[in-house]
Amino acid sequence: MTKTIDYFFGIGSPWAFIGLEPFTALAARFGAEIRPYVIPLVEENGAIFSRNRPEPRRAYWFKDLKRWAALRGKTLELDNRAGLSDPTPAGLTVIAAALEGKDWVRLTAALQEAFWSRAEDIGNAEVRKAIADAAGFDGAALEARAQQSDVQERWRSDYELAKTAGVFGFPTFRYDGELYWGQDSLPFLERHLNGEKLIA
């Protein structure tokens, strides 16, 4: 029977960005299907935006993010980002791609690479179109699709599902009813996929 992993993430999460490749490689190794849920942080469940954390915790988060990015072979452009707009519309574009049966993983990777490695303003529709086109998609068609009501409804319903499931931060993986939060929890997910769930 095919294994299915629910993947809760946001395009604007640097942790989801640096963890995407190892996660998809892990899923492929086990022949697992990935079911995407593109959502905002679930503050009702305890998520805290970086900007709202005390400065010592922000400073540690910043340094730890750089460590993990280096370990994962990713480049992060973390300076001069003040002019960037909300990446939420990029998430709707990914939902549109998924609903159309397109390669949403490739689109996600392209958008996150642009946002986190090059500080491109993926909140801008023209920027998103160019990124999608360069990745082999029809950017204009995806942008139009993202405006349709079923995409907006999927965004809302996925958020409610995530909230009910106990998700709060990114990325979160759910397999066999168990939640694993953070790209650093991939070793636990791997063991579970291998039939070695650590706790009941």
Side-chain angles (χ1 to χ4, degrees):
M1 187 169 65
T2 302
K3 302 175 188 291
T4 301
I5 306 168
D6 294 331
Y7 177 46
F8 301 91
F9 69 104
I11 301 300
S13 165
W15 297 106
F17 166 53
I18 65 176
L20 181 63
E21 287 182 14
F23 167 54
T24 54
L26 175 64
R29 185 148 54 85
F30 283 91
E33 174 193 355
I34 301 173
R35 194 158 47 194
Y37 295 89
V38 189
I39 59 170
L41 288 174
V42 187
E43 291 185 272
E44 296 96 321
N45 286 352
I48 303 173
F49 285 93
S50 173
R51 62 180 178 270
N52 296 330
R53 293 172 181 160
E55 187 51 38
R57 185 174 175 184
R58 274 180 51 81
Y60 182 84
W61 174 89
F62 195 74
K63 185 174 288 187
D64 204 39
L65 183 59
K66 288 183 174 181
R67 290 189 187 116
W68 273 105
L71 189 67
R72 298 293 194 201
K74 293 294 183 183
T75 300
L76 296 176
E77 176 52 70
L78 298 174
D79 300 315
N80 303 315
R81 300 180 61 87
L84 302 186
S85 53
D86 184 4
T88 296
L92 297 176
T93 306
V94 171
I95 292 173
L99 289 176
E100 288 298 303
K102 307 292 186 185
D103 188 350
W104 63 268
V105 173
R106 181 156 50 94
L107 181 60
T108 295
L111 288 165
Q112 289 183 324
E113 184 79 28
F115 190 60
W116 287 109
S117 293
R118 302 191 299 273
E120 293 184 17
D121 188 2
I122 62 172
N124 182 302
E126 293 305 314
V127 172
R128 289 196 303 276
K129 287 179 190 176
I131 293 167
D133 287 344
F137 299 89
D138 184 334
L142 281 177
E143 284 300 310
R145 183 70 178 86
Q147 304 306 312
Q148 295 181 11
S149 60
D150 62 332
V151 173
Q152 308 289 328
E153 178 53 35
R154 178 67 176 268
W155 169 265
R156 290 187 291 270
S157 65
D158 281 0
Y159 178 81
E160 291 302 320
L161 186 150
K163 185 166 65 172
T164 300
V167 173
F168 48 91
F170 300 141
T172 294
F173 317 97
R174 181 172 67 174
Y175 173 64
D176 192 26
E178 191 76 27
L179 294 179
Y180 297 96
W181 169 49
Q183 59 86 37
D184 54 340
S185 70
L186 285 172
F188 301 132
L189 174 61
E190 179 177 11
R191 292 187 67 164
H192 193 167
L193 287 164
N194 202 37
E196 303 173 39
K197 188 175 177 181
L198 293 178
I199 59 173

